[in-house]
């Protein structure tokens, strides 16, 4: 092989080759212009690797000059069948790649209609291209040649048959005719030829005479018929193993692996059989290390076709695509005569097959004959389509039998094109067979191996007990039969049930998971009010058995929702499921991701799932929120979607009302299906005009957490029109208009923008009753709630208006107004006369509250900077804010009361206590760190004398500093967040707002202390904010007419559009805005105009317009409706991806006002409502939009989002994060470490009880024996702890869910470990050997009392002794606090004796709150005492210096004497 040559200059021919590949296959190559240098090469980039091999092959000359073209032909032969998006469409041209000539109309049509390929498909294509390039390059380096043929293959074949071979067995090419033959070439061929022969033009079929056609016809399975010359003993690995002769080694056909083979696991690929009946091996994306072989038709079997005209020869252009016979397959037309019912036409030739030949399994493709009738390929027919399908079936059954050519005349023999057509049919059919087998396999695993276990038939226990036993079984992966003892009797005591289940698991060497909430267990005994049942499904790695594993979560207390209150909380179960995209599926399912997704969704929706002794159906789904409460982090953190299940039948339900005796305490609960559930909540019959997806989204109203309050009567519900911009006026009730609307009257004729979207009124008496039910001292100005099919904000009527019909008929004067915009779906038909109380009960989920200073979110800083606010303003605000917080913290650490107040202000626990009905414990300590700190301080521990408290505080301060750094919230004293409503009296002018406070609003730093804002400019913003116009500067004025509305911001109802809609498309159904009147921010701010909304077509967004009425025409409309909705909602939402990209783009350009940033920000506004609007926007459309906008596919993360890797810049946010915030954080942590540098871990008060009993045991043998046994029991628990605990998990209360180790054992979560140790600790009883009791009877009385109290579960001295012993043995390990924190707290609190502590019951204690004024007074008294002590010390020092002074000083007594 000649040495490689070095190019003298950059040749743009390489770029043209890459451009052709990119145009055909959407492959992405970075442009290499004059500014590019080798230093910019990315060694990890597959595209750069491909470029390098192309460059190497491009400059090969001599025998290897055709290597690059040959490699690309191999790729183009396989590529179409690799890409799953390229469907088999007999009546279309989608798989045919036309030339790239500008004049080609077919090319333009193809490029405009071909769908964009997915990122997975593009990656596979690039891997395939690189594979073929490297294999050919390796052979070039080994000395093999790739010379383009200068004679037709028919001549080569004739030479072979005549024996024109050398002694070595090779063909003597010198015997070939020397005439040059032109033939059809692909567009890439033009590029290859152009570099060596600029004068060479692209030959067409018109360049040949008719009698030349038979001489130039080539094997279309070859890419442009490139011959390969090689030694017999060095047969390439991709060459078929059945090619043994030297002649056979001349031709190599590129592998065209059907997608079915690519999708199969490697262990199945080796058994794959081609239509020729031989094993086939080829390249797959998952196995690119070795070259696969595939058998192809032997060259000697090629047939000389009949002579064809120039028009007919155009069918030979199939070789353009590099796809085996695909162009002939698609260029089909309608038969000419009726006596040939099944005809395949290709421009001038047609292939006819009798129906009997098609259907007969013994008929070979030799029965296909050639018809000389010429047809146009534009004329297509159903007969053609059916013929192709039949041919595909025939090919798959017969394995593409070879044709007995000798028995056919020249006119009857099919061309080689027709033969390859049959092979194509067989390949596609094989692909369909593989997909069908995959489909059947997944379906069988889901149905026959369900992840849901069946409850034993003998179970006669309550549902809560069934749930707990099933939960433990799924955690330990044990069959339910193992827990038969727990199904035989009802257990009301949770501890007893837990011990019984623990016996089963311990006998098998398995550990128990975390316990359910005790409060939840108690509530589940009655109505499951507020009790949540949840779990998750996880993929299994195994390719057999169940597809999913089920893991049930502990019962927890959560706010209830309407459907649960109506049907019972135990009829609903929420399952988290993983993603269904290729990136989320197990490896063996990725290649058939679309099929797997379809089957899983169908199984979820259309299957009745049997578990927990009931039959469940899925009826709703939504994406998992990223903002997961810390309590739920290990439950749903690894899921992508939530699926809501409804129990239709099973234990506890009956069909209708049963006769006979029914226990008065047992409610009659009928069997009900999902259809009844949906029709009760929102009847499809009266909502037929609603879009399906929006109608489905409204189910969220029945599943959102609310608090039920008063029930309205039908006549108290007043329907009203919306306030429009063309008729601003004071809002008044209209009874007549309400009756007209209830009867189905027309909506408002005005099409002007709505000015009070989502906002209406409620009577003052009704508001007072609601406040009473919520235990509020004052009536809020507004309530956010739901009633019937309406949702939004209801403000208390300031006019005290009462409709005449209510004033005459009732005395309570309750009424509620519902506007058209608030009504999300039409109410149930019966609610007008016989309403269901659950539907017309007003449900509250929020209300206006006392306002306090708020924070400036960093999301607003780019907008404020863009609108003229100087960067120095934010640096100053952040520095002052953080310095103040650090100062408060340093002062608080020195005093227990001040520390309690600081923790209350910075780590509030009120929400947790309200949710769990008290303090939720984990082992011997509260769950949250904030409650843990409170617990320790309240029991008398101090950070200067308790190492564990100091460690908890240190972590809390670190987390608090990191939280400030990550959230990047700057406290602005003259700002607040408040609910917005529309002006009901129309007294505010455009761009005016009203804000009044219920109490004086104070800001100590600025001295602001007012009850209203008046005649002052303010800025208002709503989150999320991306556009410059999402922050608006307006005028705050105080209107006496609106004085009744406090702690809420009133926007004007006048103007062309509502002010709320300017703030990132907001409305008045509960939106909260940030308002700031700090003039350092407001004064320099300049408003920006709201940009017009672009059409959906700009982004390629498609809208699903299916109506509810389209579903009602089917008997199974509920199943169709749910399946349609699930398929749409269980897809990836790109809102997060686009949001991150927008942030990175604005960061990179240090501007949010660029046209591209504005366009993406407008896109974000559309994607927010994509679920209910039915917007289809996938990754391909996103990629196309970026390409059209000239933006890169990916951008680096901003430095403040990637602190560990990125390099800070001079971007304003980087300065705030990396300079200001980090400096203050280090200052805070350093100050705490210095203040608490040496804190002791030992506490004499905690070991006092152990010392006392140890002294007594010296004279009490029974007690000594008990203490020894206690020591052994504690050591056993400690050993279990050390076996499973990891130091890094000690404060990770919610480690991810339990994982299965390789040896089959389970790895406990930290919470489960703590619960297990705590359970074992409580179970430790005073034990004395039986044989010793008689001899020590006089010493045994105290121990007998301990044993008796322990059996009754009563807290005794024995529990305190265990805790004291544990502290003595294992301190300073945190283990002892998790084990016995409750008892250690009691020991510490009572250590000073009676009178120094006060026991308080939980329900009273939970309501206590530290008063800041009391803390300030206590702090002043402490400072005074310190000052007095210091003065006294100074006086005593002075007294010592004066001679003759006693301890009382010199009073001059001697002079008096």
């Amino acid at each position: 092989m000649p040495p490689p040559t070095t190019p003298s200059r950059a040749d743009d021919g390489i770029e043209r080759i890459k451009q052709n590949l990119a145009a055909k296959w959407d492959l992405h190559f970075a442009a290499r212009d004059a500014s590019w240098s080798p230093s910019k090469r990315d060694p990890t980039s597959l595209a750069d690797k491909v470029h390098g091999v192309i460059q190497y092959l491009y400059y090969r000359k001599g025998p290897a000059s055709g290597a690059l073209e040959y490699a690309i032909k191999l790729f183009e032969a396989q590529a179409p069948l690799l890409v799953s998006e390229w469907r088999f469409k007999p009546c279309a041209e989608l798989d045919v790649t036309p030339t790239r000539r500008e004049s080609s109309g077919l090319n333009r049509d193809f490029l405009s209609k071909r769908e964009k390929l997915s990122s997975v498909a593009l990656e596979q294509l690039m891997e395939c291209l690189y594979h073929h390039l490297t294999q050919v390059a390796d052979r070039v380096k080994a000395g093999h040649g790739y010379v383009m043929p200068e004679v037709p293959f028919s001549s080569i074949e004739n030479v072979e048959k005549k024996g024109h071979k050398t002694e070595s067995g090779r063909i003597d090419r010198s015997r070939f005719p020397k005439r040059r033959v032109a033939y059809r070439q692909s567009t890439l061929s033009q590029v290859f030829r152009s570099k060596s022969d600029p004068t060479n033009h692209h030959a067409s079929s018109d360049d040949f005479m008719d009698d030349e056609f038979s001489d130039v016809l080539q094997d279309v399975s070859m890419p442009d018929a490139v011959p390969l010359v090689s030694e017999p003993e060095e047969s390439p690995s991709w060459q078929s193993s059945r090619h043994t002769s030297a002649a056979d080694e001349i031709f190599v056909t590129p592998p065209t692996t059907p997608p079915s083979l690519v999708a199969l696991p490697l262990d199945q690929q080796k058994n794959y059989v081609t239509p020729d009946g031989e094993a086939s091996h080829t390249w797959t994306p998952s196995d690119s290390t070795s070259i696969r072989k595939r058998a192809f038709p032997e060259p000697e079997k090629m047939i000389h076709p009949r002579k064809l005209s120039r028009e007919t020869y155009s069918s030979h252009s199939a070789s353009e695509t590099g796809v085996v016979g695909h162009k002939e397959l698609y260029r089909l037309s309608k038969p000419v005569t009726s006596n040939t019912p099944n005809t395949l036409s290709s421009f001038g030739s047609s292939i006819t097959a009798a129906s009997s030949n098609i259907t007969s399994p013994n008929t070979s493709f030799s029965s296909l004959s050639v018809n000389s009738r010429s047809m146009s390929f534009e004329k297509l027919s159903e007969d053609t389509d059916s013929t192709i399908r039949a041919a595909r079936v025939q090919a798959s059954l017969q394995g593409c039998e070879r044709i007995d050519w000798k028995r056919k005349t020249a006119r009857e023999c099919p061309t080689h094109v027709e033969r390859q057509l049959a092979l194509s049919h067989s390949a596609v059919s094989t692909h369909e067979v593989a997909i069908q087998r995959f489909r059947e396999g997944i379906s069988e695993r889901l149905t026959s191996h369900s992840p849901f276990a069946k409850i034993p038939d003998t179970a006669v226990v309550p549902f809560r007990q069934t749930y707990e036993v099933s939960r433990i079984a799924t955690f330990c992966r044990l069959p339910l039969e193992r827990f038969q003892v727990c199904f035989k009797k009802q257990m009301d005591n949770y501890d007893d049930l837990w011990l019984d289940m623990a016996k089963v698991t311990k006998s098998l060497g398995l550990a128990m998971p975390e316990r359910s909430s005790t409060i939840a267990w108690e509530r589940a005994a009655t109505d499951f009010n507020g009790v949540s049942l949840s779990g998750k499904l996880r993929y299994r790695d195994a390719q057999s058995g169940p597809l999913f594993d089920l893991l049930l979560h502990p019962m927890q207390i959560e706010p209830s929702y309407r459907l649960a209150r109506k049907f019972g909380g135990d009829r609903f179960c929420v399952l988290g499921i993983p993603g269904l995209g290729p990136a989320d599926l197990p490896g063996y399912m990725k290649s058939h991701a679309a099929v797997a997704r379809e089957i899983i969704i169908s199984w979820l929706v259309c299957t009745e799932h049997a578990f927990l002794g009931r039959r469940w159906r899925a009826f709703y789904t939504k994406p998992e929120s990223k903002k997961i409460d810390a309590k739920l982090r290990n439950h749903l953190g690894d899921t992508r979607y939530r699926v809501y299940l409804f129990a239709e039948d099973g234990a506890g339900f009956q069909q209708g009302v049963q006769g006979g005796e029914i226990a008065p305490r047992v409610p009659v609960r009928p069997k009900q299906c999902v259809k009844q559930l949906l029709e009760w909540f929102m009847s499809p019959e009266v909502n037929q005009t609603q879009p399906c997806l929006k109608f489905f989204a409204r189910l969220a109203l029945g599943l959102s957490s609310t608090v039920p309050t008063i029930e309205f009567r039908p006549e108290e519900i007043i329907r009203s029109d919306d306030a429009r911009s063309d008729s601003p006026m004071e809002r008044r009730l209209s009874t007549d208009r309400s009756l007209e609307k209830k009867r189905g009257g027309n909506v408002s004729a005005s099409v002007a923008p709505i000015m009070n979207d989502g906002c209406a009124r409620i009577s003052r008496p009704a508001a007072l009753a609601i406040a009473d039910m919520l235990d509020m001292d004052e009536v809020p100005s507004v309530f956010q709630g739901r009633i019937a099919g309406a949702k939004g904000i209801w403000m208390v009527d300031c006019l005290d208006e009462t409709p005449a019909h209510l004033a005459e008929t009732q005395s309570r004067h309750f009424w509620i107004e519902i506007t058209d915009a608030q009504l999300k779906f039409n109410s149930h038909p019966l609610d007008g006369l016989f309403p269901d109380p659950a539907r017309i009960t007003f449900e509250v989920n929020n209300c206006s509250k006392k306002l306090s200073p708020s924070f400036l979110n960093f999301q607003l800083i780019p907008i404020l900077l863009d609108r003229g606010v100087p960067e120095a303003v934010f640096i100053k605000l952040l520095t002052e804010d953080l310095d103040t917080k650090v100062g408060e913290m340093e002062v608080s650490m020195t005093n227990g009361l001040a520390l309690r107040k600081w923790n209350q202000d910075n780590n509030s626990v009120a929400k947790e206590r309200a949710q769990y009905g008290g303090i939720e414990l984990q082992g011997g300590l509260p769950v949250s760190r904030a409650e843990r700190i409170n617990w320790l301080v309240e029991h008398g521990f101090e950070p200067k004398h308790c190492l564990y408290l100091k460690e908890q505080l240190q972590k809390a301060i670190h987390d608090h500093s990191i939280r400030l750094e990550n959230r990047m919230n700057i406290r602005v004293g003259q700002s607040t967040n408040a609910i917005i409503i529309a002006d009901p009296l129309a007294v505010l002018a455009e761009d005016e707002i009203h804000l009044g406070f219920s109490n004086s609003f104070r800001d100590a730093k600025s001295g602001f202390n007012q009850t209203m804002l008046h005649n002052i400019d303010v800025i208002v913003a709503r989150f999320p904010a991306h556009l410059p116009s999402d922050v608006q500067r307006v005028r705050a004025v105080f209107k006496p007419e609106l004085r009744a509305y406090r702690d809420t911001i009133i926007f004007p109802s006048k103007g062309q559009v509502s002010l709320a809609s300017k703030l990132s498309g907001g409305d008045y159904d509960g939106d909260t805005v940030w308002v700031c009147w700090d003039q350092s921010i407001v004064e320099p701010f300049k408003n920006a105009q709201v940009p017009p909304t672009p059409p959906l077509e700009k982004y390629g967004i498609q809208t699903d317009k299916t109506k509810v009425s389209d579903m009602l025409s089917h008997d199974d409309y509920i199943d169709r409706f749910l399946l349609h909705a699930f398929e749409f909602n269980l897809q990836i939402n790109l809102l997060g991806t686009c949001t991150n990209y927008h942030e990175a783009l604005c960061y990179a350009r240090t501007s949010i006002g660029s046209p591209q940033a504005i366009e993406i920000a407008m896109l974000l506004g559309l994607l927010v409502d994509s679920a209910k609007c039915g917007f289809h926007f996938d990754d391909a459309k996103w990629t196309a939009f970026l390409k059209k906008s000239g933006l890169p596919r990916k951008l680096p993360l901003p430095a403040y989002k990637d602190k560990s890797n990125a390099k800070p810049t001079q971007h304003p946010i980087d300065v705030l994060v990396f300079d200001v915030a980090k400096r203050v954080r280090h200052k805070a942590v350093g100050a705490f470490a210095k203040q608490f540098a040496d804190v002791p871990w030992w506490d004499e008060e905690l070991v006092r009880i152990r010392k006392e009993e140890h002294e007594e045991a010296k004279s009490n043998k029974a007690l000594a024996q008990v203490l020894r046994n206690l020591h052994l029991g504690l050591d056993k628990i400690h050993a279990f702890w050390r076996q499973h605990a990891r130091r890094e998990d000690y404060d990770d209360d919610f480690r991810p869910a339990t994982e299965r180790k390789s040896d089959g054992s389970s790895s406990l979560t930290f919470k489960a470990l703590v619960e297990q140790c705590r359970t074992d600790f409580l179970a430790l009883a005073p034990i004395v050997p039986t044989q010793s009791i008689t001899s020590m009877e006089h010493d045994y009385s105290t121990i007998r009392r301990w044993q008796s109290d322990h059996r009754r579960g009563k807290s005794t001295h024995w529990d305190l002794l265990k805790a004291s012993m544990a502290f003595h043995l294992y301190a300073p390990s945190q283990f002892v606090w998790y084990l016995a924190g409750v008892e250690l707290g009691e020991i510490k609190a009572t250590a000073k004796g009676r009178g120094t502590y006060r026991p308080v019951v939980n329900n009273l204690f939970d309501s206590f709150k530290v008063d800041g004024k009391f803390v300030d007074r206590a702090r002043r008294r402490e400072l005074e005492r310190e000052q007095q002590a210091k003065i006294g010390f100074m006086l005593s020092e002075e007294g010592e210096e004066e001679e003759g002074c006693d301890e009382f000083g010199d009073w001059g007594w001697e002079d008096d004497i």
Side-chain angles (χ1 to χ4, degrees), residues 718-738:
I718 312 297
R719 292 289 308 279
S720 298
D721 292 321
D722 295 314
R724 300 278 179 171
S725 61
D726 57 358
S727 58
M729 62 182 65
E730 182 179 276
R731 298 290 295 175
R732 288 288 184 176
L733 299 178
S734 174
T735 304
D736 295 339
R737 183 59 175 155
S738 176

Side-chain angles (χ1 to χ4, degrees), residues 598 601-603 605-606 1111 1117-1128:
E598 173 191 346
I601 292 176
S602 178
W603 171 75
V605 179
C606 303
M1111 298 293 180
Y1117 69 89
I1118 290 294
D1119 290 341
R1120 290 174 179 265
F1121 165 68
L1122 292 178
L1123 189 60
H1124 178 69
F1126 269 68
E1127 287 176 346
F1128 179 84

Side-chain angles (χ1 to χ4, degrees), residues 1151-1169:
S1151 171
I1152 65 168
S1154 66
Q1156 294 93 339
I1158 296 295
E1159 290 179 354
I1160 296 178
M1162 299 298 289
L1163 172 63
L1164 297 178
L1166 296 173
L1167 295 182
V1168 168
D1169 295 328

Side-chain angles (χ1 to χ4, degrees), residues 5 82 594 752 777 816 949 975:
T5 59
L82 275 178
D777 296 331
I816 185 170
L949 176 57
S975 72

